[in-house]
Amino acid sequence: MALILGIESSCDETAAAVVRDGEQLLSNVVSSQIATHIPYGGVVPELASREHLRAIVPVVRQAISEASTSLNGIDAIAVTQGPGLAGSLLVGITYAKALVFALAKPLIAVNHLEGHIHAVLLEQRQQESEELSLPALALVVSGGHTHLYVVNRSETAWSYRNVGHTLDDAAGEAFDKVAKLLGLSYPGGPIIEKLAAHGNPLAITMPLSQIKLRQKGVEGSSSPTYDFSFSGIKTAVLRFVEKNAMKDSIERRRKAIEGIPNPAPEDVLAHSDLLTLDLIASFQEAVVQDLVRKTMRSAGDLEVQSLIVTGGVASNGRLRAEFQKRAEAEGFRVLFPSRSLSTDNAAMIAAAAYPKLLQQQFADSRFSAEASLRLGA
Ligand code: KG4
Ligand code: ZN
């Protein structure tokens, strides 16, 4: 039996969790900085580091206490090495290093993207006695990534082969940028999902980018690559705003929302006309259709056994419903994390660290943050 304390501080959430044997969640504490970044419409890296510094000690203490254990009762400490904001990552890493030094425990460095994949594996193990059928195709879809990986396992070692990624914006980034453009609040994903329910997803035609199958593959590998692109959809929203002279109404909404400290979706809805709601619903639908269509095509080509959809955008209900429908029709099983494990958390970091603990794959005390860390081959 092994207890791992996970620490995650790669972006705008300070998180700590205690997980037993990579599957039992004993605690999962997330302190969000969203309120700090709302006035800027996006994450301000300097403010993020400062907020992590404030939150890290109480968040770790709370995770330890909610797990009914003590720092001495922990077997290993796992921390996110990257990718993410360098200054933010450093807060978690420095604190984790200090803890392992004081406690004489092993330290495990985890890739944030591997964490998102293990959020799903953790819950699958919790709920089922059978292992997931592999290989699986994992779509990691978040604010920084829209990446496809073929996930496999040999004994206790997990492997990841990157078979596709976005050529421009990540899907979550497109949600955030469109929300900013339309004068909605930050982050864009949750508010767009709420408002989209009040619009017609078929009202406005958006361009669907063509799947590009690059025969050369990622980093010169011989296998083909499946690319995504969201800049066309984002530009289509901008053109629609210009063509329909929506700028004034966007400014009025922005001003009205600015005056509300923590705007609820209802506050934003009260300042959104039908044309705006149709645009939001059509934008969300275009992103969802693009993600589902390309992922399903890749899953078919690559002959995988299961599908994993994870990362912040995977909490989108419309995306989940469409994936369920298409996967069922094509005979694939698709798994998502619960909503609380879709967005950034530390349980996924502790879960991804468990196989590394079994293999005694520990981090060197000199390791540092890697803002652009890649996952797999
Ligand atoms: O995984 P995550 O918490 O952080 C990163 O690793 O980036 O993902 C955050 C992203 C943001 O871009 C946010 O707008 C998006 O996930 N997001 C959503 C939803 N909830 C969060 N996008 C669409 N629909 C949602 N319900
Ligand atoms: Zn993330």
Side-chain angles (χ1 to χ4, degrees), residues 265-278:
E266 297 71 37
D267 298 321
V268 188
L269 183 61
H271 295 279
S272 306
D273 56 21
L274 198 55
L275 190 67
T276 305
L277 295 171
D278 283 349

Side-chain angles (χ1 to χ4, degrees), residues 11-278:
C11 190
D12 58 350
E13 252 102 34
T14 319
V18 178
V19 177
R20 181 188 285 141
D21 295 342
E23 61 183 88
Q24 269 175 292
L25 206 68
L26 302 190
S27 65
N28 184 26
V29 180
V30 180
S31 164
S32 170
Q33 310 176 353
I34 285 176
T36 306
H37 303 289
I38 280 181
Y40 307 95
V43 179
V44 182
E46 289 78 4
L47 297 183
S49 315
R50 192 187 71 189
E51 293 301 310
H52 284 305
L53 273 174
R54 280 197 184 137
I56 190 101
V57 175
V59 163
V60 168
R61 278 199 189 134
Q62 192 183 337
I64 293 288
S65 128
E66 284 182 12
S68 304
T69 183
S70 65
L71 279 172
N72 273 317
I74 295 291
D75 295 292
I77 293 174
V79 66
T80 307
Q81 181 178 16
L85 301 169
S88 293
L89 289 163
L90 272 176
V91 176
I93 292 172
T94 311
Y95 188 57
K97 280 187 184 179
L99 282 177
V100 297
F101 181 71
L103 300 165
K105 307 271 179 191
L107 178 62
I108 300 167
V110 174
N111 185 307
H112 182 84
L113 303 173
E114 185 175 14
H116 274 303
I117 294 169
H118 279 264
V120 176
L121 299 173
L122 176 159
E123 293 185 313
Q124 191 267 337
R125 264 183 247 122
Q126 253 174 14
Q127 288 152 16
E128 299 167 15
S129 52
E130 296 239 324
E131 289 287 334
L132 182 68
S133 303
L134 296 170
L137 180 69
L139 170 67
V140 181
V141 64
S142 68
H145 293 84
T146 304
H147 279 49
L148 281 172
Y149 297 95
V150 173
V151 179
N152 221 332
R153 199 184 62 174
S154 145
E155 307 279 326
T156 52
W158 289 84
S159 65
Y160 312 91
R161 184 161 59 89
N162 181 209
V163 291
H165 55 76
T166 177
L167 297 176
D168 38 61
D169 292 337
E173 191 180 357
F175 271 92
D176 295 337
K177 286 181 175 169
V178 163
K180 195 169 181 180
L181 169 74
L182 296 180
L184 313 176
S185 60
Y186 168 83
I191 184 72
I192 285 183
E193 178 175 8
K194 296 258 167 49
L195 296 187
H198 300 269
N200 174 5
L202 304 175
I204 300 152
T205 312
M206 296 274 165
L208 273 185
S209 64
Q210 292 305 308
I211 190 163
K212 292 175 194 148
L213 189 62
R214 277 189 287 136
Q215 283 305 332
K216 213 164 112 280
V218 176
E219 301 280 284
S221 79
S222 56
S223 46
T225 307
Y226 300 88
D227 292 328
F228 295 92
S229 166
F230 297 101
S231 65
I233 299 175
K234 199 181 62 188
T235 308
V237 174
L238 179 63
R239 295 272 170 278
F240 189 88
V241 165
E242 285 167 350
K243 208 168 135 218
N244 292 276
M246 295 169 78
K247 289 228 162 106
D248 288 346
S249 80
I250 289 173
E251 258 337 288
R252 279 198 297 279
R253 177 166 49 250
R254 204 190 304 279
K255 287 254 151 54
I257 295 168
E258 246 170 35
I260 309 169
N262 222 338
E266 297 71 37
D267 298 321
V268 188
L269 183 61
H271 295 279
S272 306
D273 56 21
L274 198 55
L275 190 67
T276 305
L277 295 171
D278 283 349

